[in-house]
PDB file of all heavy atoms in Angstrom:
ATOM      1  N   GLY A 252      96.923  90.030  93.892  1.00 88.00           N
ATOM      2  CA  GLY A 252      96.624  91.313  94.509  1.00 88.00           C
ATOM      3  C   GLY A 252      95.167  91.673  94.629  1.00 88.00           C
ATOM      4  O   GLY A 252      94.829  92.825  94.889  1.00 88.00           O
ATOM      5  N   HIS A 253      94.267  90.704  94.467  1.00 90.00           N
ATOM      6  CA  HIS A 253      92.844  90.996  94.648  1.00 90.00           C
ATOM      7  C   HIS A 253      92.588  91.389  96.100  1.00 90.00           C
ATOM      8  O   HIS A 253      93.171  90.803  97.022  1.00 90.00           O
ATOM      9  CB  HIS A 253      92.008  89.775  94.274  1.00 90.00           C
ATOM     10  CG  HIS A 253      90.544  90.054  94.185  1.00 90.00           C
ATOM     11  ND1 HIS A 253      89.732  90.072  95.286  1.00 90.00           N
ATOM     12  CD2 HIS A 253      89.745  90.343  93.123  1.00 90.00           C
ATOM     13  CE1 HIS A 253      88.491  90.341  94.910  1.00 90.00           C
ATOM     14  NE2 HIS A 253      88.481  90.515  93.613  1.00 90.00           N
ATOM     15  N   PRO A 254      91.712  92.368  96.335  1.00 91.00           N
ATOM     16  CA  PRO A 254      91.492  92.838  97.716  1.00 91.00           C
ATOM     17  C   PRO A 254      90.958  91.784  98.665  1.00 91.00           C
ATOM     18  O   PRO A 254      91.092  91.927  99.888  1.00 91.00           O
ATOM     19  CB  PRO A 254      90.500  93.998  97.556  1.00 91.00           C
ATOM     20  CG  PRO A 254      89.921  93.846  96.187  1.00 91.00           C
ATOM     21  CD  PRO A 254      90.975  93.194  95.357  1.00 91.00           C
ATOM     22  N   ALA A 255      90.355  90.707  98.156  1.00 91.00           N
ATOM     23  CA  ALA A 255      89.876  89.644  99.037  1.00 91.00           C
ATOM     24  C   ALA A 255      90.994  88.702  99.469  1.00 91.00           C
ATOM     25  O   ALA A 255      90.803  87.881 100.357  1.00 91.00           O
ATOM     26  CB  ALA A 255      88.774  88.841  98.341  1.00 91.00           C
ATOM     27  N   ASN A 256      92.165  88.832  98.845  1.00 92.00           N
ATOM     28  CA  ASN A 256      93.287  87.933  99.092  1.00 92.00           C
ATOM     29  C   ASN A 256      94.347  88.625  99.942  1.00 92.00           C
ATOM     30  O   ASN A 256      94.421  89.850  99.994  1.00 92.00           O
ATOM     31  CB  ASN A 256      93.880  87.498  97.742  1.00 92.00           C
ATOM     32  CG  ASN A 256      95.000  86.502  97.875  1.00 92.00           C
ATOM     33  OD1 ASN A 256      96.164  86.868  97.873  1.00 92.00           O
ATOM     34  ND2 ASN A 256      94.657  85.229  97.998  1.00 92.00           N
ATOM     35  N   PHE A 257      95.194  87.834 100.593  1.00 92.00           N
ATOM     36  CA  PHE A 257      96.247  88.404 101.440  1.00 92.00           C
ATOM     37  C   PHE A 257      97.105  89.399 100.668  1.00 92.00           C
ATOM     38  O   PHE A 257      97.549  90.422 101.213  1.00 92.00           O
ATOM     39  CB  PHE A 257      97.122  87.290 102.020  1.00 92.00           C
ATOM     40  CG  PHE A 257      98.147  86.738 101.058  1.00 92.00           C
ATOM     41  CD1 PHE A 257      99.434  87.273 101.018  1.00 92.00           C
ATOM     42  CD2 PHE A 257      97.829  85.710 100.186  1.00 92.00           C
ATOM     43  CE1 PHE A 257     100.375  86.782 100.123  1.00 92.00           C
ATOM     44  CE2 PHE A 257      98.763  85.219  99.296  1.00 92.00           C
ATOM     45  CZ  PHE A 257     100.040  85.754  99.261  1.00 92.00           C
ATOM     46  N   ALA A 258      97.366  89.127  99.386  1.00 92.00           N
ATOM     47  CA  ALA A 258      98.238  90.002  98.611  1.00 92.00           C
ATOM     48  C   ALA A 258      97.637  91.394  98.466  1.00 92.00           C
ATOM     49  O   ALA A 258      98.341  92.405  98.568  1.00 92.00           O
ATOM     50  CB  ALA A 258      98.503  89.394  97.236  1.00 92.00           C
ATOM     51  N   GLY A 259      96.329  91.442  98.250  1.00 92.00           N
ATOM     52  CA  GLY A 259      95.670  92.731  98.139  1.00 92.00           C
ATOM     53  C   GLY A 259      95.543  93.452  99.459  1.00 92.00           C
ATOM     54  O   GLY A 259      95.385  94.682  99.498  1.00 92.00           O
ATOM     55  N   GLN A 260      95.612  92.699 100.543  1.00 95.00           N
ATOM     56  CA  GLN A 260      95.490  93.296 101.874  1.00 95.00           C
ATOM     57  C   GLN A 260      96.837  93.755 102.425  1.00 95.00           C
ATOM     58  O   GLN A 260      96.900  94.698 103.217  1.00 95.00           O
ATOM     59  CB  GLN A 260      94.843  92.284 102.826  1.00 95.00           C
ATOM     60  CG  GLN A 260      93.418  91.934 102.440  1.00 95.00           C
ATOM     61  CD  GLN A 260      92.875  90.714 103.168  1.00 95.00           C
ATOM     62  OE1 GLN A 260      93.456  90.281 104.158  1.00 95.00           O
ATOM     63  NE2 GLN A 260      91.785  90.150 102.668  1.00 95.00           N
ATOM     64  N   LEU A 261      97.925  93.118 102.012  1.00 96.00           N
ATOM     65  CA  LEU A 261      99.253  93.463 102.521  1.00 96.00           C
ATOM     66  C   LEU A 261      99.976  94.490 101.672  1.00 96.00           C
ATOM     67  O   LEU A 261     100.836  95.228 102.173  1.00 96.00           O
ATOM     68  CB  LEU A 261     100.124  92.213 102.613  1.00 96.00           C
ATOM     69  CG  LEU A 261      99.847  91.228 103.745  1.00 96.00           C
ATOM     70  CD1 LEU A 261     100.805  90.054 103.653  1.00 96.00           C
ATOM     71  CD2 LEU A 261      99.992  91.908 105.105  1.00 96.00           C
ATOM     72  N   TYR A 262      99.649  94.542 100.383  1.00 97.00           N
ATOM     73  CA  TYR A 262     100.430  95.358  99.468  1.00 97.00           C
ATOM     74  C   TYR A 262      99.558  96.399  98.770  1.00 97.00           C
ATOM     75  O   TYR A 262      98.330  96.267  98.688  1.00 97.00           O
ATOM     76  CB  TYR A 262     101.127  94.463  98.436  1.00 97.00           C
ATOM     77  CG  TYR A 262     101.987  93.399  99.094  1.00 97.00           C
ATOM     78  CD1 TYR A 262     101.590  92.062  99.100  1.00 97.00           C
ATOM     79  CD2 TYR A 262     103.176  93.742  99.736  1.00 97.00           C
ATOM     80  CE1 TYR A 262     102.355  91.099  99.732  1.00 97.00           C
ATOM     81  CE2 TYR A 262     103.949  92.777 100.363  1.00 97.00           C
ATOM     82  CZ  TYR A 262     103.537  91.458 100.362  1.00 97.00           C
ATOM     83  OH  TYR A 262     104.295  90.507 100.994  1.00 97.00           O
ATOM     84  N   ASP A 263     100.213  97.426  98.258  1.00 97.00           N
ATOM     85  CA  ASP A 263      99.559  98.479  97.482  1.00 97.00           C
ATOM     86  C   ASP A 263      99.528  97.999  96.035  1.00 97.00           C
ATOM     87  O   ASP A 263     100.579  97.894  95.392  1.00 97.00           O
ATOM     88  CB  ASP A 263     100.342  99.782  97.627  1.00 97.00           C
ATOM     89  CG  ASP A 263      99.727 100.944  96.860  1.00 97.00           C
ATOM     90  OD1 ASP A 263      98.595 100.789  96.345  1.00 97.00           O
ATOM     91  OD2 ASP A 263     100.382 102.004  96.781  1.00 97.00           O
ATOM     92  N   VAL A 264      98.349  97.710  95.520  1.00 96.00           N
ATOM     93  CA  VAL A 264      98.234  97.026  94.230  1.00 96.00           C
ATOM     94  C   VAL A 264      97.588  97.930  93.175  1.00 96.00           C
ATOM     95  O   VAL A 264      96.540  98.534  93.408  1.00 96.00           O
ATOM     96  CB  VAL A 264      97.407  95.732  94.365  1.00 96.00           C
ATOM     97  CG1 VAL A 264      97.289  95.037  93.008  1.00 96.00           C
ATOM     98  CG2 VAL A 264      98.049  94.795  95.393  1.00 96.00           C
ATOM     99  N   GLU A 265      98.241  98.008  92.043  1.00 96.00           N
ATOM    100  CA  GLU A 265      97.684  98.641  90.839  1.00 96.00           C
ATOM    101  C   GLU A 265      97.581  97.547  89.782  1.00 96.00           C
ATOM    102  O   GLU A 265      98.396  96.616  89.762  1.00 96.00           O
ATOM    103  CB  GLU A 265      98.579  99.767  90.349  1.00 96.00           C
ATOM    104  CG  GLU A 265      98.071 100.501  89.119  1.00 96.00           C
ATOM    105  CD  GLU A 265      96.829 101.329  89.388  1.00 96.00           C
ATOM    106  OE1 GLU A 265      96.673 101.829  90.525  1.00 96.00           O
ATOM    107  OE2 GLU A 265      96.008 101.477  88.462  1.00 96.00           O
ATOM    108  N   GLN A 266      96.587  97.666  88.892  1.00 95.00           N
ATOM    109  CA  GLN A 266      96.400  96.576  87.942  1.00 95.00           C
ATOM    110  C   GLN A 266      96.342  97.079  86.507  1.00 95.00           C
ATOM    111  O   GLN A 266      95.881  98.174  86.226  1.00 95.00           O
ATOM    112  CB  GLN A 266      95.136  95.787  88.297  1.00 95.00           C
ATOM    113  CG  GLN A 266      95.229  95.222  89.732  1.00 95.00           C
ATOM    114  CD  GLN A 266      94.351  94.040  89.980  1.00 95.00           C
ATOM    115  OE1 GLN A 266      93.147  94.162  89.986  1.00 95.00           O
ATOM    116  NE2 GLN A 266      94.964  92.879  90.213  1.00 95.00           N
ATOM    117  N   TYR A 267      96.880  96.252  85.618  1.00 94.00           N
ATOM    118  CA  TYR A 267      96.792  96.528  84.189  1.00 94.00           C
ATOM    119  C   TYR A 267      95.725  95.616  83.584  1.00 94.00           C
ATOM    120  O   TYR A 267      95.196  94.717  84.257  1.00 94.00           O
ATOM    121  CB  TYR A 267      98.155  96.358  83.508  1.00 94.00           C
ATOM    122  CG  TYR A 267      98.845  95.024  83.694  1.00 94.00           C
ATOM    123  CD1 TYR A 267      98.728  94.007  82.756  1.00 94.00           C
ATOM    124  CD2 TYR A 267      99.676  94.795  84.803  1.00 94.00           C
ATOM    125  CE1 TYR A 267      99.384  92.796  82.906  1.00 94.00           C
ATOM    126  CE2 TYR A 267     100.353  93.590  84.964  1.00 94.00           C
ATOM    127  CZ  TYR A 267     100.198  92.598  84.014  1.00 94.00           C
ATOM    128  OH  TYR A 267     100.845  91.402  84.170  1.00 94.00           O
ATOM    129  N   GLU A 268      95.381  95.849  82.325  1.00 92.00           N
ATOM    130  CA  GLU A 268      94.302  95.120  81.669  1.00 92.00           C
ATOM    131  C   GLU A 268      94.736  94.686  80.276  1.00 92.00           C
ATOM    132  O   GLU A 268      95.747  95.166  79.752  1.00 92.00           O
ATOM    133  CB  GLU A 268      93.041  96.005  81.567  1.00 92.00           C
ATOM    134  CG  GLU A 268      92.487  96.457  82.903  1.00 92.00           C
ATOM    135  CD  GLU A 268      91.266  97.356  82.776  1.00 92.00           C
ATOM    136  OE1 GLU A 268      90.988  97.821  81.645  1.00 92.00           O
ATOM    137  OE2 GLU A 268      90.585  97.587  83.798  1.00 92.00           O
ATOM    138  N   VAL A 269      93.959  93.783  79.692  1.00 93.00           N
ATOM    139  CA  VAL A 269      94.186  93.443  78.292  1.00 93.00           C
ATOM    140  C   VAL A 269      93.534  94.503  77.416  1.00 93.00           C
ATOM    141  O   VAL A 269      92.649  95.247  77.856  1.00 93.00           O
ATOM    142  CB  VAL A 269      93.624  92.048  77.937  1.00 93.00           C
ATOM    143  CG1 VAL A 269      94.302  90.967  78.751  1.00 93.00           C
ATOM    144  CG2 VAL A 269      92.105  91.995  78.127  1.00 93.00           C
ATOM    145  N   ASP A 270      93.987  94.584  76.192  1.00 93.00           N
ATOM    146  CA  ASP A 270      93.403  95.523  75.237  1.00 93.00           C
ATOM    147  C   ASP A 270      91.948  95.132  74.974  1.00 93.00           C
ATOM    148  O   ASP A 270      91.668  93.979  74.622  1.00 93.00           O
ATOM    149  CB  ASP A 270      94.192  95.486  73.925  1.00 93.00           C
ATOM    150  CG  ASP A 270      93.718  96.509  72.921  1.00 93.00           C
ATOM    151  OD1 ASP A 270      92.577  96.367  72.422  1.00 93.00           O
ATOM    152  OD2 ASP A 270      94.483  97.437  72.633  1.00 93.00           O
ATOM    153  N   PRO A 271      90.984  96.064  75.146  1.00 87.00           N
ATOM    154  CA  PRO A 271      89.577  95.695  74.988  1.00 87.00           C
ATOM    155  C   PRO A 271      89.208  95.276  73.569  1.00 87.00           C
ATOM    156  O   PRO A 271      88.237  94.543  73.372  1.00 87.00           O
ATOM    157  CB  PRO A 271      88.828  96.969  75.404  1.00 87.00           C
ATOM    158  CG  PRO A 271      89.821  98.069  75.224  1.00 87.00           C
ATOM    159  CD  PRO A 271      91.148  97.473  75.530  1.00 87.00           C
ATOM    160  N   GLU A 272      89.977  95.713  72.589  1.00 89.00           N
ATOM    161  CA  GLU A 272      89.673  95.371  71.195  1.00 89.00           C
ATOM    162  C   GLU A 272      90.218  94.002  70.815  1.00 89.00           C
ATOM    163  O   GLU A 272      89.568  93.232  70.104  1.00 89.00           O
ATOM    164  CB  GLU A 272      90.250  96.437  70.258  1.00 89.00           C
ATOM    165  CG  GLU A 272      89.658  97.817  70.453  1.00 89.00           C
ATOM    166  CD  GLU A 272      88.162  97.843  70.140  1.00 89.00           C
ATOM    167  OE1 GLU A 272      87.736  97.157  69.196  1.00 89.00           O
ATOM    168  OE2 GLU A 272      87.425  98.533  70.878  1.00 89.00           O
ATOM    169  N   THR A 273      91.411  93.686  71.287  1.00 93.00           N
ATOM    170  CA  THR A 273      92.062  92.449  70.857  1.00 93.00           C
ATOM    171  C   THR A 273      91.983  91.333  71.891  1.00 93.00           C
ATOM    172  O   THR A 273      92.185  90.162  71.547  1.00 93.00           O
ATOM    173  CB  THR A 273      93.552  92.704  70.554  1.00 93.00           C
ATOM    174  OG1 THR A 273      94.216  93.078  71.783  1.00 93.00           O
ATOM    175  CG2 THR A 273      93.704  93.825  69.530  1.00 93.00           C
ATOM    176  N   GLY A 274      91.731  91.683  73.158  1.00 92.00           N
ATOM    177  CA  GLY A 274      91.766  90.684  74.226  1.00 92.00           C
ATOM    178  C   GLY A 274      93.164  90.225  74.564  1.00 92.00           C
ATOM    179  O   GLY A 274      93.350  89.250  75.294  1.00 92.00           O
ATOM    180  N   ARG A 275      94.170  90.938  74.059  1.00 95.00           N
ATOM    181  CA  ARG A 275      95.565  90.568  74.303  1.00 95.00           C
ATOM    182  C   ARG A 275      96.247  91.589  75.202  1.00 95.00           C
ATOM    183  O   ARG A 275      95.804  92.734  75.309  1.00 95.00           O
ATOM    184  CB  ARG A 275      96.336  90.467  72.976  1.00 95.00           C
ATOM    185  CG  ARG A 275      95.858  89.328  72.074  1.00 95.00           C
ATOM    186  CD  ARG A 275      96.551  89.415  70.719  1.00 95.00           C
ATOM    187  NE  ARG A 275      96.119  88.369  69.810  1.00 95.00           N
ATOM    188  CZ  ARG A 275      96.821  87.276  69.522  1.00 95.00           C
ATOM    189  NH1 ARG A 275      98.002  87.078  70.088  1.00 95.00           N
ATOM    190  NH2 ARG A 275      96.363  86.381  68.665  1.00 95.00           N
TER     191      ARG A 275
END
């Protein structure tokens, strides 16, 4: 879903992240 990729251009994408303290 990156905006430079077809997925980011065709779909409405929200993203989650890893925990900044644990990296998990």
Side-chain angles (χ1 to χ4, degrees):
H253 191 277
N256 183 264
F257 79 92
Q260 296 167 15
L261 285 179
Y262 304 107
D263 180 9
V264 180
E265 181 69 31
Q266 302 203 292
Y267 55 95
E268 299 179 348
V269 299
D270 185 293
E272 297 297 323
T273 65
R275 294 173 181 257

